[in-house]
Amino acid sequence: MSSSFRIAVLAGDGIGPEVMAEALKALHRIEAAFGHRFDFIEADVGGIAIDRHGAALPQATLDTCHGCASILFGSVGGPKWEKLPPNQQPERAALLPIRKHFGLYANLRPAICYPSLAHASPLRSDLVKDGFDILVVRELTGGIYFGQPKKTDSLSEGEAGFDALSRLSQKRSVDTMIYTTAEIERITRLAFMAARKRQSRVTLVDKANVLETSVHWRTTVREIATDYADVSLEYIYVDNAAMQVIRNPRHFDVMLCENMFGDIISDEVAAATGSLGMLPSASLGASAASGATTFGLFEPAGGTAPDIAGKGIANPVAQILSAALLLRHSLKLEAEAASIERAVRETVDDGFRTADIWSPNMHKVGTVSMGDEIAKRVRK
Ligand code: NAD
């Protein structure tokens, strides 16, 4: 069944517009092959929005996003805006507020190491020669990054305790890790549903030997797992997970993490693939009342790459795969998402490489040619 969707396109800064053009190329191929219609509504975000409108996330951009089913995001920031006060800098003033504004509570970070690109991985070749495919599902709006109280108090001499010889002013800092059952439940269900479309295995990453919140996660996830009897569930302490990811990455399918553990583990898994320019991400909010779409923001894992911006050599794959995630998780177009992912895999298998993933005897291509090769392979 063909459908029509409005998609907000926020390309941002640096390589953002270059790689975004290639993602739109792939989506146009999807329109032609599957008979859908996408209306792309472009809006400024990040440094370019500061230059043009005086704010990294102008109200007009938010209004555009509200009128759309989802957001395809590039990346924001760069040297030009680094001297601004921290809370006015593009990442802090655009990305964090937009996630908060739309209540994007789930971060999905797929990390695929393609066997043909295994040489780029920093892991030993015998561990990655067959590749790996891990999806980190990270809770994004709760936990220790947001819990209250969060503060630093000065201590009086009597309270300071032991080291009377210290020349430092004595303080006490508190961060608070809080999770409610509802917060755990919504992301757990999302992880199990994602696992069903993969290898049907979920690993809960926690620290249940020490943290009360982790015990809460375990009991809640165990209870919810009974609704997904076809998906296997295992538990792993976060310190062990950090080791196993680099010792045996193929062990994992979906790794379900609270906010801070997911922050760390998702970067570790990404680094293990060795190809930052290949990695997409999705941040999801609530489903529309009809259940037909889920609002989300889809963006590359990497940043604006100022060192290569404007040279036509950026790898567009992360942005193109972000578009595939948008089709799958937001618009519920699974076959269309799979078509883009297959096209990327075939392009890489056929030997096309941007500079960041190039190896001898492969065809070195620029951003536009890589995008062309991928778009050519998108089919029903
Ligand atoms: P970066 O991810 O932009 O770059 C790190 C390295 O990876 C660079 O060598 C870059 O050339 C390379 N790289 C990244 N994406 C690539 C691609 N698609 N193809 C080829 N190579 C690629 O990180 P950084 O240098 O730390 O940050 C640069 C700017 O991006 C900063 O202003 C930072 O604030 C911003 N940033 C934005 C986001 C975001 O918008 N989500 C995320 C991270 C960094």
Side-chain angles (χ1 to χ4, degrees):
M1 200 181 66
S2 67
S3 311
S4 164
F5 301 97
R6 284 162 67 88
I7 298 172
V9 174
L10 278 50
D13 308 314
I15 62 167
E18 299 170 46
V19 293
M20 184 63 84
E22 304 313 313
L24 298 186
K25 212 183 263 174
L27 287 172
H28 282 308
R29 290 283 301 170
I30 291 289
E31 287 185 294
F34 290 83
H36 299 303
R37 174 158 169 211
F38 301 131
D39 290 323
F40 299 114
I41 322 289
E42 297 189 16
D44 291 330
V45 73
I48 190 163
I50 294 176
D51 291 353
R52 288 183 180 165
H53 315 282
L57 182 60
Q59 185 59 42
T61 297
L62 274 180
D63 292 345
T64 296
C65 297
H66 273 289
C68 290
S70 225
I71 305 169
L72 188 59
F73 196 93
S75 40
V76 293
K80 185 173 177 194
W81 304 281
E82 267 164 19
K83 296 211 167 56
L84 290 172
N87 61 358
Q88 288 173 30
Q89 290 194 10
E91 253 188 290
R92 182 94 77 90
L95 207 46
L96 300 186
I98 207 168
R99 284 181 183 151
K100 188 162 177 220
H101 183 87
F102 289 105
L104 304 177
Y105 67 88
N107 187 220
L108 273 56
R109 291 265 300 262
I112 300 179
C113 176
Y114 299 89
S116 52
L117 296 181
H119 62 86
S121 169
L123 301 188
R124 236 175 39 215
S125 58
D126 59 307
L127 297 175
V128 290
K129 66 179 181 344
D130 298 322
F132 62 83
D133 180 351
I134 300 174
L135 174 65
V136 178
V137 176
R138 168 188 169 195
E139 202 289 326
L140 205 54
T141 51
I144 199 162
Y145 293 171
F146 298 100
Q148 294 294 338
K150 181 185 265 306
K151 59 175 183 173
T152 297
D153 295 329
S154 292
L155 294 181
S156 64
E157 217 167 275
E159 290 174 304
F162 43 99
D163 197 350
L165 296 176
S166 172
R167 60 181 181 76
L168 303 179
S169 66
Q170 298 296 315
K171 298 175 184 162
R172 179 194 292 127
S173 300
V174 180
D175 289 295
T176 305
M177 194 182 233
I178 302 183
Y179 271 108
T180 64
T181 307
E183 284 175 308
I184 301 169
E185 176 168 8
R186 62 184 180 178
I187 189 138
T188 299
R189 291 197 181 280
L190 207 141
F192 274 92
M193 286 188 290
R196 276 187 168 159
K197 294 188 179 140
R198 299 168 49 92
Q199 296 173 44
S200 296
R201 294 187 287 119
V202 171
T203 303
L204 173 64
V205 178
D206 65 28
K207 194 70 184 162
N209 50 344
V210 184
L211 296 177
E212 198 63 29
T213 44
S214 284
V215 173
H216 188 185
W217 271 81
R218 273 202 188 197
T219 48
T220 307
V221 172
R222 185 180 299 130
E223 173 84 34
I224 292 166
T226 59
D227 292 344
Y228 304 87
D230 51 319
V231 178
S232 74
L233 170 66
E234 66 167 8
Y235 313 96
I236 188 167
Y237 295 142
V238 63
D239 43 343
N240 190 19
M243 277 196 291
Q244 297 310 324
V245 158
I246 54 171
R247 289 174 75 161
N248 184 15
R250 290 175 65 79
H251 172 78
F252 297 102
D253 179 22
V254 174
M255 300 181 82
L256 171 60
C257 307
E258 65 84 44
N259 199 346
M260 180 168 59
F261 298 159
D263 192 1
I264 298 165
I265 292 290
S266 62
D267 270 8
E268 188 192 16
V269 173
T273 69
S275 340
L276 188 59
M278 305 283 293
L279 302 179
S281 80
S283 300
L284 303 178
S287 293
S290 66
T293 59
T294 298
F295 195 85
L297 183 147
F298 300 82
E299 58 175 329
T304 56
D307 51 338
I308 57 166
K311 295 185 178 163
I313 59 171
N315 188 341
V317 168
Q319 191 74 62
I320 292 171
L321 290 177
S322 299
L325 293 184
L326 186 154
L327 296 177
R328 171 175 297 120
H329 295 288
S330 187
L331 308 187
K332 316 295 183 199
L333 299 176
E334 175 60 32
E336 291 81 344
S339 167
I340 290 186
E341 289 165 349
R342 188 184 53 228
V344 167
R345 203 176 289 266
E346 286 177 5
T347 304
V348 169
D349 287 346
D350 289 344
F352 293 95
R353 305 276 192 278
T354 43
D356 55 312
I357 52 171
W358 182 79
S359 57
N361 302 322
M362 296 293 151
H363 311 290
K364 192 188 268 186
V365 292
T367 310
V368 173
S369 300
M370 191 73 177
D372 286 342
E373 292 299 332
I374 293 167
K376 227 193 291 182
R377 290 168 176 78
V378 170
R379 60 184 182 277
K380 197 163 183 176

